[in-house]
């Protein structure tokens, strides 16, 4: 924006000093007086405009609206406005744009009018920039077209590409009318096609021609072709001699090649992928490009996959291997990274080649070329940090016999002849990771009759590794893995030489071992993915002792390897599950998740936090402030951040990417999460916060039709699972991750709570009370039916049941039922017939509330120990919320009834008798549930305050279902005696006590 | 298991492997996007097979602002490494070197005199890394950083301004052997 250094708009330079000074000092009364004087004496309407702007800066509605009236007049006049006046008005109207006025209906078209009349003035570019800043694409596109026309023969090519880029942006934007969309899509494609022809046909490059010259221009063309053109055209063009992907590669530009492969893959054009990869990789060998320029892993992977899909896979894959061999044979020093890419490519081709899972020797079914190649890879890389990730998918695809051979024959031989002790232990820890991985692979189990003698078998499989009957995953193997890893761990801990060599290694092998032990125990604790436990509270059925053991081991390991963020992230989840949220927070803080990365990472700690530990919101730091600041700062302007810089630099593909990123960020589930959590926490403590959730500016544009996007980054989260099942975070998270459906439901439920809690401001004293009451009632009814509809729609979306925890489902269902019930209540007056649907709605509400209550009571009663009371606070939290929603809804209706009675003594406008009765009954039921929940908190507080807790907690920890030998093993890992465990239990207990303190402060009214 | 390619804005959702490491600074969104907007080909990433970013470099090409033309600290047309980082699990595989070399290629292609960067004087690992690639200290910027990475009792830390001459600098006019003895104030760098 063209503000001066004071953040104020500079006036035209010929304005006298006195007025300039008054203006820049913000001395608005003086400006009004002076401008008025100048307007009269100089007869220049510009001074009139200054006056209007100054008036708009004063408090008071009249002055404020004068600038809007002035703009409106300019729009209506249809003449070309004065640019200085326009700039002034835009500055003065800043606060109103997007609220009282839309830029695209007012200042945008005025800018267009001016720029079209003066396309060659530098101010025309300023007009374009302003339209972009307000993301008025319709106006910006028109201006850019005018500029392009004006500069067509000037050699300034950027106007052509600005116009093209903006036409494209408009064509894919919701700002574009459906009727124009097609026209613009076609127009932009034609323009670019013409440019492509110019370049393909030119004999020499003329810097001023209207062809495609820079990488950005060419890639813009292909992006548009992908969006608006045909597949056939894309395929034809991408092989062209000048603008084709390989031609650009030759010039050192990789982007197009990269993007083309992706597009071709989605179309399944494998033959072309094969050809492009082959020729590109050959260019490296032949010295056309720098040797390893295209040696990316994904290129090799696609090359091998394409070969396997060709008509003659055997020979095609031979060709891949031949090129690989040429690379291996190149006698140049290259990065270890590329060497590894080559080795992995060789592995990939072996896995793609037909028949490579056939044994070489009939007598040894597991010794296949695939296994041998894996062995060769591991020989080189098993001690590297990324070895497990590198081979994981391949190992998970081995047949059972192959896997057995790998584990029992190949791995033990890797160190043949070497006596290097650290290496031996690294290999052992690596092997235990693989062994765990195999428990997650279905090929290690064979089906066993699931019904025997007419009875369902709880162990419907036979494990092929240990031969025992089991469910999935094999509990016997998991236990063996724990025992073995624990033994190795202790061997390391006891060996001083070994310990002192650890800093020189890529990774502390104990970390891997602890992770395997912890993960296995968590599986034994029956942590399950949450998507099939539809209505159960999160902790139901979990072996608390084992959960505690795993946490103890991992917590202890973190002391040894505090820098390992994967371990830290896992522990954050475990402590959230255990209800020790303050520990989770202490673990979270050192990772310093701030600024840009918050959107992707914050859900790992903050999601559902208000239901777990409201007390955290009263800590010394404002919990959500950093997130809030991030969104406020980055989404303040209507346009994508830094977009103008990208235009000025001719970075056209960056513009498209930035636009997409911006649009996604504005629909971020994390952003919604931050608002919802804050709003819930405020309500929990009976506060009002920043007003209603729907008033948050960042949420203004979120409607039911907005698809909210979640981009949670689990990249650093430990995951030893195979691709045959869900990733590990799905097992340890409190419930399903963020989703569009849950985000909308939470947002709607908060709006419902706001509506029920609404109190008109004290100064609101309408003159005509009767009309006002009617108006209010109509408005409330409208809002209620909207909310009821929206809540029902999202609740009934096909995936919703798998996206919520049980308590969430109840809460949102009750909110939806209440909203509908209230519509019935408010629209049934005393004289109407008894409202039938009400009874069934209230019955459902009662049933839902009762079910949640019994779930909770059951959870409390069956808890392994009352010391785990904090672990089910999520359920308690929703019990409270559900009960209070019922109570507030009933109170809302009854208050309205009383008000109507007081206002209209005839009783005509009062509510139906049955309504009143139903609501009173609901209020009573809800009151009971609230009291119960409250009593539970009180009880928990008292229980946790009792003496002897440490022992009880330790007893519980070591009474898990793993058996005595496993407990011993666990104890061995954490130092052999109880000291470490006691210290740990003490901290856990302290955290629970802190958590319950937060709960005691919660309001129950 | 790595790919080298240009940065895309959605990579910002995949930074955890690099940015949870305390040696890597996380910036405001506008900072990343500014580089992507102005020098898209100088902002390169390395990604692993799961799409996680395991290394990146942010670079730019520029000269000092014209107003400093006659200052002794004026920097002619050069490339600058604003940030380079590799995830702990992917270090010592040559990724950092490859990323820096890509920038050097761009610097030569754009006829830059040298590539430069600032590094904390206590970041020995990174200093060795740069030295092994041909960079040398050109000057020391006193108290350039407003905190100290290893000693919490100190309120500031020096930066080394390190440089590597590019092809254009045939006579090696823009590097010096005794850079460590040339101290400047933060106000002398722009
Ligand atoms: C500095 C950093 C970018 C190096 O990345 P990298 O990918 O590990 O480096 P490379 O593998 O390309 O190393 C290239 C050469 O630098 C040297 N080097 C790199 N890391 C080194 C270390 N820790 N110790 C000694 N020399 C090292 C070596 O000579 C190495 O070659 P070699 O492995 O063949 O011996 C990485 O350690 C990092 O991200 N550090 C944290 C962030 C940071 O400090 N950035 C620099 C801020 S200015």
């Amino acid at each position: 924006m063209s503000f001066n250094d004071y953040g104020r708009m500079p006036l035209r330079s010929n304005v006298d000093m006195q007025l300039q000074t008054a203006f820049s000092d913000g001395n608005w009364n003086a400006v009004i007086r002076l401008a008025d004087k100048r307007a009269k004496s100089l007869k220049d309407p510009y001074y009139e405009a200054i006056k209007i702007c100054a008036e708009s800066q004063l408090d008071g509605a009249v002055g404020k609206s004068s600038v809007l009236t002035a703009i409106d007049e300019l729009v209506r006049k249809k003449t070309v406005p004065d640019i200085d006046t326009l700039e002034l008005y835009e500055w003065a109207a800043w606060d109103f744009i997007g609220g009282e006025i839309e830029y695209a209906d007012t200042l945008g078209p005025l800018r267009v009018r001016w720029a079209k009349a003066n396309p060659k003035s530098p101010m025309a570019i300023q007009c374009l920039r302003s339209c972009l800043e307000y993301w008025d694409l319709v106006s910006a596109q028109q201006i850019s077209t005018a500029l392009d026309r004006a500069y067509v023969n000037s050699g300034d090519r950027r106007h052509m590409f600005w116009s093209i880029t903006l036409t494209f942006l408009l064509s894919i934007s919701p700002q574009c009318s459906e009727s124009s969309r097609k026209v613009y899509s076609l127009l932009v494609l034609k323009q670019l096609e013409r440019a492509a022809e110019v370049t393909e046909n030119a004999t020499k490059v003329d810097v001023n021609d209207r062809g495609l010259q820079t990488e950005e221009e060419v890639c813009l063309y292909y992006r548009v072709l992908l969006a608006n053109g045909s597949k056939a055209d894309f395929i034809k063009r991408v092989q062209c001699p000048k603008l084709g992907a390989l031609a650009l590669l030759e010039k050192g530009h990789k982007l197009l090649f990269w993007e083309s492969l992706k597009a071709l893959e989605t179309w399944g054009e494998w033959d072309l992928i094969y050809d492009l990869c082959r020729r590109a990789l050959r260019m490296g060998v032949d010295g056309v490009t720098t040797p390893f320029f295209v040696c990316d892993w994904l290129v090799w992977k696609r090359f091998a996959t394409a070969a396997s899909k060709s008509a003659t896979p055997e020979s095609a894959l031979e060709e891949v291997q031949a090129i690989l061999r040429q690379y291996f044979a190149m006698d140049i020093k290259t990065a270890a990274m590329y060497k590894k890419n080559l080795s992995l490519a060789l592995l990939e081709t072996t896995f793609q080649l037909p028949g490579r899972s056939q044994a070489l020797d009939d007598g040894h079914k597991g010794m296949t070329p695939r296994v041998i190649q894996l062995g060769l890879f591991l020989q080189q890389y098993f001690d590297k940090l990324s070895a497990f990730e590198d081979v994981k998918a391949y190992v998970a695809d081995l047949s059972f016999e192959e896997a057995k051979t790998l584990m029992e024959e190949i791995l033990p031989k890797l160190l043949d002849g070497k006596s290097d002790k650290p290496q031996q232990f690294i290999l052992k820890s690596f092997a235990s990771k693989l062994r765990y991985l195999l428990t997650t692979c279905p090929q290690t189990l064979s089906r066993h009759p699931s019904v025997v003698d007419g009875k369902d078998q709880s162990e419907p499989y036979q494990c092929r590794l240990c031969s025992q009957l089991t469910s999935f995953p094999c509990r016997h193997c998991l236990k063996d893995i724990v025992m073995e890893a624990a033994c190795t761990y202790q061997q390391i801990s006891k060996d001083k030489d070994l310990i002192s060599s650890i800093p020189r290694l890529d990774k502390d092998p104990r970390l891997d071992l602890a992770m395997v032990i912890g993960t296995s125990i968590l599986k034994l604790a029956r942590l399950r993915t949450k998507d099939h436990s539809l209505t159960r509270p999160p902790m139901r059925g979990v072996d608390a002792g084992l959960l505690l053991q795993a946490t103890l081991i991992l917590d202890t390991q973190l002391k040894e390897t505090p820098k390992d963020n994967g371990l830290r992230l896992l522990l954050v989840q475990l402590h959230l599950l255990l209800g020790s949220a303050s520990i989770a927070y202490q673990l979270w803080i050192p990772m310093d998740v701030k600024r840009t990365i918050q959107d992707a990472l914050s859900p790992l700690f903050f999601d559902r936090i208000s239901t777990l530990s409201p007390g955290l919101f009263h800590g010394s730091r404002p919990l959500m402030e950093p997130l809030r600041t991030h969104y406020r700062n980055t989404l303040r302007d209507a346009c994508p951040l830094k977009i103008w810089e990208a235009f000025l630099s001719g970075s056209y593909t960056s513009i498209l990417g930035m636009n997409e990123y911006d649009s996604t960020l504005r629909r971020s589930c994390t952003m919604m999460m931050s608002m919802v959590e804050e709003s819930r926490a405020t309500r929990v403590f009976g506060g009002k916060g920043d007003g209603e959730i729907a008033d948050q500016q960042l949420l203004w544009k979120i409607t039911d039709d907005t698809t909210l996007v979640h981009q949670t980054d689990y990249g650093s989260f430990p995951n030893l699972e195979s691709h045959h099942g869900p990733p590990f975070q799905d097992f340890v998270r409190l419930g399903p991750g963020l989703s569009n459906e849950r985000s909308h439901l939470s947002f709607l439920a908060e709006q419902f709570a706001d509506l029920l809690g609404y109190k008109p401001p004290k100064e609101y004293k309408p003159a005509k009370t009767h009309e006002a009451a009617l108006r209010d009632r109509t408005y409330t009814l409208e809002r209620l039916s909207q909310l009821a509809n929206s809540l029902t729609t999202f609740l009934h979306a096909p995936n919703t049941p798998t996206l919520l925890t049980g308590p969430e489902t109840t809460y949102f269902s009750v909110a939806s039922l209440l909203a509908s019930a209230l519509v019935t209540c408010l629209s049934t007056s005393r004289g109407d017939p008894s409202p039938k649907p009400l009874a069934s709605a209230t019955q459902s509400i009662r049933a839902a509330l009762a079910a949640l209550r019994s779930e909770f009571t059951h959870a409390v009663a069956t808890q392994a120990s009352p010391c785990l009371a904090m672990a089910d606070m999520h359920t308690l939290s929703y019990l409270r919320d559900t009960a209070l929603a019922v109570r507030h809804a009933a109170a809302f209706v009854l208050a309205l009834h009383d008000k109507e009675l007081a206002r209209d003594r005839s009783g005509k406008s009062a509510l139906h008798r049955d309504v009143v009765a139903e609501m009173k009954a609901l209020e009573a039921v809800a009151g009971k549930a609230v009291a119960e929940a409250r009593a539970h908190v009180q009880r928990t507080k008292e229980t946790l305050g009792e003496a002897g807790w440490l022992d009880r907690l330790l007893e519980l920890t070591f009474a898990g279902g793993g058996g005595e030998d496993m407990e011993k093993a666990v104890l061995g890992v954490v130092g052999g005696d109880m000291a470490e465990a006691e210290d740990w239990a003490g901290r856990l207990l302290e955290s629970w006590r802190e958590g319950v303190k937060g709960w005691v402060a919660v309001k129950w009214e | 298991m790595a790919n080298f390619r240009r940065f895309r804005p959605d990579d910002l959702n995949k930074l955890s492997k690099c940015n949870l490491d305390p040696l890597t600074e996380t910036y405001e969104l506008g900072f990343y996007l500014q580089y992507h907007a102005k020098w898209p080909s100088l902002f390169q990433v390395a990604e692993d097979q799961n799409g996680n970013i395991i290394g990146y470099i942010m670079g730019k090409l520029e000269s000092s602002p014209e107003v400093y033309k006659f200052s002794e600290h004026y920097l002619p047309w050069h490339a600058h490494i604003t940030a380079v980082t590799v995830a702990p699990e992917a270090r010592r595989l040559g990724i950092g070197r490859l990323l820096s070399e890509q920038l050097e290629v761009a610097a030569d292609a754009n006829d830059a005199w040298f590539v430069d960067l600032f590094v904390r004087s206590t970041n020995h690992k990174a200093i060795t890394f740069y030295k092994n690639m041909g960079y040398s200290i050109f000057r020391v910027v006193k108290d350039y950083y407003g905190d100290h990475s290893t000693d919490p009792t100190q309120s500031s830390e020096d930066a080394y301004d390190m440089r590597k001459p590019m092809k254009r600098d045939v006579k090696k006019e823009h590097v010096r052997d005794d850079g460590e003895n040339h101290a400047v104030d933060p106000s002398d760098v722009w």
Side-chain angles (χ1 to χ4, degrees), chain A residues 215-216 254-255 258 262 295-299 333 335-338 340-341 344 384-386 389-391 506 563 565 569 591-597 599-601 630 633-634 641-642 645-646 649 651 653-655 657-658 661 665 711-716, chain B residues 1-22 24-41 44 46-50 52 54 87-95 97-98 102 105:
Chain A
E215 184 184 17
E216 283 295 302
K254 204 157 79 171
L255 184 60
W258 194 260
K262 189 169 165 221
C295 265
D296 294 306
W297 160 236
L298 207 54
V299 174
K333 190 173 179 305
M337 185 79 255
Y338 282 134
K340 193 157 88 157
N341 275 354
L344 274 171
K384 297 288 178 292
L385 269 179
S386 56
E389 277 302 314
D390 285 339
V391 300
D506 242 21
K563 281 191 189 156
N565 291 314
L569 287 171
M591 284 188 286
D592 202 17
V593 173
K594 62 180 179 191
R595 300 177 184 155
T596 304
I597 57 175
D599 189 56
L601 290 169
H630 172 61
N633 288 349
T634 48
L641 267 181
K642 305 286 172 191
E645 265 98 332
S649 310
S651 307
T653 62
S654 301
I655 292 171
M658 289 156 78
Y661 183 82
L665 195 63
Q711 313 255 25
T712 312
D713 179 5
Y714 282 102
S716 293
Chain B
M1 43 70 120
N3 304 307
F4 289 88
R5 59 167 174 78
R6 243 193 216 194
F7 164 86
R8 299 190 298 251
D10 58 354
D11 291 334
L12 297 170
N13 299 322
K14 295 268 173 197
L15 287 187
S16 72
K17 290 204 167 186
C18 289
N19 284 41
L20 289 183
D21 184 63
T24 301
E25 179 62 336
T26 298
Y27 302 102
E28 301 286 359
L29 178 61
F31 193 73
Y32 299 105
L33 293 183
Q34 178 176 335
Y35 279 80
H36 181 54
K38 291 170 89 165
W39 303 279
S41 63
Q44 295 275 340
E47 68 174 357
D48 72 8
Q49 62 268 59
N50 302 318
N52 299 305
I54 49 170
E89 67 180 42
R91 290 195 184 143
R92 295 311 287 267
L93 289 168
I95 294 179
R97 178 190 283 271
L98 286 165
Q102 280 174 10
V105 170

Side-chain angles (χ1 to χ4, degrees), chain B residues 23-24 84-86 91-97 118-119 123 125-126 128-130 132:
Chain B
L23 282 174
T24 301
V84 58
T85 177
V86 174
R91 290 195 184 143
R92 295 311 287 267
L93 289 168
I95 294 179
R97 178 190 283 271
F118 295 112
V119 57
N123 191 349
K125 228 163 47 168
T128 316
F129 163 74
Y130 289 123
N132 286 352

Side-chain angles (χ1 to χ4, degrees), chain A residues 79 191 302 339 346 414 563 770 848 968:
Chain A
T79 52
Q191 279 179 306
R302 285 187 170 130
K339 286 197 185 134
L346 197 60
L414 284 187
K563 281 191 189 156
H770 181 66
K968 240 166 111 187

